[in-house]
């Protein structure tokens, strides 16, 4: 979890919505991509698909860094369109379409998208802020599919083994179900959007929380076999844009992670580790062997004071389910004179390789609001989410924080990332996981092609 003050480097947003039949003039020769070949122009003018039939939806966030990223992505799409034709596509920024923070999950917005933009369109194309799009190639790809039929297109991912983050779906053969990698962009034909919009209107969504959106979107569309499965499109890629393998791709990723500002110093971060007596000898040693040395200010909080670690007893008994009472006690201690006055609080479970981040201002506003746990064993993440939502403090999302083990994610999904964290030590060697995925001196490769070194998301 990230407060709205934290600039974390992997997602998008945009502040102003341009309904982009605007014709923007660009100086010739301003970049190497300004001039399109005659072949590209021929494709555009002879293609049965008009650019104005595509509605692009950038999956954006309201954080200022992501606003800039989304604006840049939109500007690139419009620039390409203008160099090809005067028929500009519509480019929407997801976070501007609704005041409801939950609508980042896309499905609740389908009735609005269908009603507002469906009549004059053929496709909705969803993309992330890091998704580079080659418009000419994308038009060629979409033109292969009958726009009057239901289509769900994307780069397909699948589970190697059944996983808790997907509620152990398709446990007998998890690889049979395909879901899209959002980083490669994904597309829905208008007939499918219309039917899904009617479904959302007629049948309220069954859950008010989301664990893995891309998988849940695919399940909702498939609808137990009543709807289409994902059609894999090889031209929708997550290859680095400067890779030879990207020549056939309609979408790619940048070869550099965007810098969202100067890295936060160790002196500005206080780390709080949640543990309990029964895990002192099992989990705490893993932290000490891996990332503890990187934290300047760190305390362990437990239901038992152990001077050998040391741990601090906050007076909150250990609970088997949620840990809301302990988390709120940590928030209160963070604002007290008992710990160093730092700008950031990082809260970590003892089996996390790391977790939630708060700015000091977010903690101050949270506690001053009077928001509190309804019980010590309430789920702290959900209570915090509800409190922050009530305060109008949006949580900035980064897909580099992971709530499960590397084994629980599709290999192609992790291949183009530089992960920040993983969770759970069940049936793995956590030290080996740390050394493979999270050690800064081994960070040169997510996929051996992206030039992404040490993490500077904070």
């Amino acid at each position: 979890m990230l407060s709205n003050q934290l600039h974390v480097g992997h997602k998008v947003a945009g502040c102003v919505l341009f309904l982009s039949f605007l014709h923007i003039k660009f100086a010739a020769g301003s970049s190497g991509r300004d001039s399109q070949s005659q072949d590209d122009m021929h494709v555009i003018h002879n293609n049965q698909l008009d650019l104005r039939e595509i509605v692009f939806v950038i999956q954006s966030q309201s954080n200022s860094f992501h606003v800039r990223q989304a604006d840049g992505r939109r500007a690139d799409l419009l620039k390409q369109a203008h160099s090809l034709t005067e028929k500009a596509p519509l480019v929407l920024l997801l976070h501007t379409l609704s005041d409801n923070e939950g609508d980042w999950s896309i499905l609740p917005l389908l009735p609005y998208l269908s009603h507002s933009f469906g009549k004059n369109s053929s496709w909705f194309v969803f993309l992330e802020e890091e998704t580079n799009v080659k418009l000419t190639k994308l038009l060629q790809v979409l033109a292969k599919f009958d726009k009057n039929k239901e289509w769900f297109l994307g780069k397909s991912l699948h589970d190697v083994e059944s996983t808790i983050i997907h509620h152990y779906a398709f446990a007998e053969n998890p690889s049979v179900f395909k879901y899209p990698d959002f980083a490669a962009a994904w597309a829905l034909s208008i007939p499918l959007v219309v039917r899904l919009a009617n479904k959302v209107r007629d049948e309220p969504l069954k859950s008010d929380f989301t664990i893995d959106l891309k998988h849940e979107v695919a399940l909702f569309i498939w609808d137990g076999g009543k709807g289409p499965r994902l059609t894999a499109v090889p031209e929708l890629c997550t290859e680095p844009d400067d890779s030879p393998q990207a020549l056939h791709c309609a979408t790619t990723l940048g070869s550099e992670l965007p810098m969202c500002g100067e890295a936060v110093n160790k002196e500005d971060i206080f780390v709080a580790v949640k543990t309990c007596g029964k895990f002192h000898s099992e989990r705490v040693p893993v932290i000490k062997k891996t990332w503890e040395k990187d934290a300047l200010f760190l305390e362990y909080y437990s239901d038992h004071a152990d001077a050998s670690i040391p741990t601090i007893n906050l007076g909150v008994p250990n609970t088997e389910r949620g840990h809301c009472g302990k988390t709120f006690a940590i928030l209160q201690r963070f604002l007290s004179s008992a710990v160093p006055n730092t700008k950031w609080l990082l809260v970590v479970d003892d089996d996390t390789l790391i977790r939630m981040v708060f700015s000091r201002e977010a903690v101050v506003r949270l506690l001053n609001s009077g928001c509190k746990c309804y019980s010590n064993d309430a789920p702290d993440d959900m209570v915090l989410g509800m409190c922050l939502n009530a305060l109008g403090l949006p949580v900035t999302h980064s897909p580099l924080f992971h709530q499960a083990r590397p084994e629980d994610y599709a290999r192609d999904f992790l291949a183009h990332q530089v992960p920040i964290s993983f969770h759970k030590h069940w049936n793995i060697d956590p030290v080996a996981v740390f050394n493979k995925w999270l050690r800064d001196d081994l960070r040169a490769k997510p996929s051996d092609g992206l030039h992404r070194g040490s993490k500077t998301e904070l």
Side-chain angles (χ1 to χ4, degrees):
M1 264 188 165
L2 305 168
S3 84
N4 66 325
Q5 299 299 315
L6 180 59
H7 298 172
V8 172
H10 214 69
K11 255 227 178 257
V12 229
C15 191
V16 182
L17 173 62
F18 291 103
L19 298 183
S20 45
F21 287 106
L22 297 174
H23 293 161
I24 302 175
K25 304 299 181 183
F26 296 91
S30 60
S31 78
R33 298 171 62 180
D34 285 355
S35 58
Q36 298 288 331
S37 69
Q38 291 300 314
D39 287 342
D40 285 352
M41 296 298 293
H42 179 79
V43 168
I44 293 297
H45 290 297
N46 291 278
N47 201 297
Q48 64 193 40
L49 186 65
D50 192 301
L51 262 180
R52 289 176 294 185
E53 295 179 64
I54 303 176
V55 178
F56 289 96
V57 182
I58 300 176
Q59 294 174 225
S60 60
Q61 299 183 81
S62 57
N63 173 279
S64 60
F65 165 74
H66 298 303
V67 167
R68 295 192 299 272
Q69 294 297 107
D71 281 342
R73 181 59 52 221
R74 177 180 53 201
D76 178 71
L77 287 168
L78 295 179
K79 185 175 182 179
Q80 288 187 62
H82 184 74
S83 67
L84 295 168
T85 174
E86 291 293 305
K87 302 172 181 178
L90 196 62
V91 184
L92 308 177
L93 304 180
L94 183 63
H95 83 280
T96 66
L97 302 181
S98 169
D99 292 329
N100 181 6
E101 286 293 325
D103 286 347
W104 68 272
S105 58
I106 298 172
L107 294 177
L109 275 176
L110 289 178
Y112 168 75
L113 292 174
S114 175
H115 174 76
S116 301
F117 309 107
K119 292 181 181 178
N120 298 315
S121 305
S122 298
W123 295 93
F124 278 95
V125 175
F126 298 85
L127 62 150
E128 295 188 337
E129 68 176 15
E130 301 305 321
T131 311
N132 297 320
V133 178
K134 302 174 186 175
L135 273 185
T136 304
K137 186 74 79 172
L138 182 63
L139 277 170
Q140 290 175 306
V141 168
L142 294 179
K144 297 176 183 177
F145 300 92
D146 184 348
K147 60 189 178 185
N148 298 308
K149 296 182 179 180
E150 293 189 357
W151 292 105
F152 175 27
L153 311 178
K155 174 188 175 181
S156 68
L157 301 173
H158 69 271
D159 295 338
V160 176
E161 57 186 63
S162 61
T163 171
I164 189 172
I165 63 171
H166 297 155
H167 305 288
Y168 298 108
F170 307 96
E172 293 184 1
N173 184 10
S175 66
V176 73
F177 186 74
K178 306 298 192 297
Y179 51 98
D181 189 335
F182 283 177
W186 52 290
L188 303 177
S189 62
I190 290 300
L192 178 56
V193 171
V194 170
R195 185 173 64 79
L196 295 176
N198 291 333
K199 181 183 175 186
V200 171
R201 275 191 292 259
D202 298 339
E203 305 171 23
L205 296 168
K206 296 177 182 179
S207 176
D208 58 357
F209 68 94
T210 292
I211 294 178
D212 186 9
L213 180 61
K214 56 188 179 296
H215 190 270
E216 291 165 28
V217 164
L219 277 177
F220 183 82
I221 293 172
W222 178 59
D223 194 17
K226 299 176 187 176
R229 290 180 179 266
L230 178 71
T231 297
V233 177
E235 293 90 349
L236 298 179
C237 311
T238 54
E239 298 289 341
D241 52 13
D242 57 0
S243 165
Q245 288 75 34
L247 293 177
H248 76 286
C249 295
T251 61
T252 59
L253 294 180
S255 56
E256 297 279 352
L257 277 178
M259 293 299 294
C260 49
E262 294 296 323
V264 172
N265 296 322
K266 290 183 179 182
E267 294 81 2
D268 292 327
I269 305 173
F270 181 80
V271 182
V273 182
K274 296 189 298 183
T275 188
C276 62
K278 65 179 180 180
F279 293 134
H280 286 186
S281 61
E282 176 185 339
R283 295 181 178 177
V284 171
V286 173
I287 297 174
K288 290 185 174 295
K289 289 178 182 177
T290 55
W291 58 267
E292 186 197 68
K293 63 182 180 300
D294 296 322
L296 183 60
F297 303 123
L298 179 147
E299 287 185 343
Y300 292 90
Y301 300 113
S302 177
D303 57 344
H304 173 68
D306 184 341
S308 67
I309 292 176
T311 60
I312 296 170
N313 186 350
L314 293 174
V316 179
N318 187 53
T319 51
E320 293 297 325
R321 300 192 305 155
H323 304 287
C324 193
K326 185 180 289 185
T327 296
F328 271 75
I330 289 172
L331 297 180
Q332 290 165 349
R333 182 173 174 85
F334 174 67
L335 297 184
S336 75
S337 59
V339 300
N341 187 326
T342 61
K343 297 177 181 178
W344 299 99
L345 169 65
L346 171 61
V347 181
V348 188
D349 281 351
D350 56 7
D351 61 346
T352 302
L353 294 166
I354 60 179
R355 192 183 176 191
M356 298 184 294
V357 184
F358 301 88
S359 67
R360 175 169 289 273
E361 179 61 22
V363 177
V364 169
R365 290 186 61 182
L366 186 66
L367 294 183
N368 286 346
S369 72
C371 188
K372 58 185 179 180
C373 304
Y374 54 84
S375 66
N376 279 337
D377 66 349
D380 52 352
D381 50 0
M382 295 189 71
V383 171
L384 287 168
M386 291 186 290
C387 292
L388 293 169
N389 186 59
L391 285 169
L393 289 174
V395 177
T396 301
H397 170 70
S398 168
L400 308 183
F401 288 79
H402 299 95
Q403 59 190 319
R405 311 165 303 159
E407 287 81 353
D408 294 309
Y409 296 92
R411 291 168 182 167
D412 281 355
F413 175 66
L414 293 181
H416 56 78
Q417 289 193 340
V418 180
I420 293 173
S421 68
F422 292 105
H423 186 214
K424 296 295 184 188
H425 293 174
W426 179 73
N427 210 26
I428 61 169
D429 178 350
V431 176
V433 168
F434 177 83
N435 288 334
K436 178 179 179 180
W437 292 99
L438 302 169
R439 271 180 59 187
D440 276 339
D441 57 350
L442 298 176
R443 307 293 310 166
K445 64 170 227 176
S447 64
D448 288 333
L450 303 185
H451 308 302
R452 303 180 176 192
S454 297
K455 301 175 294 301
T456 56
E457 285 75 14
L458 299 188

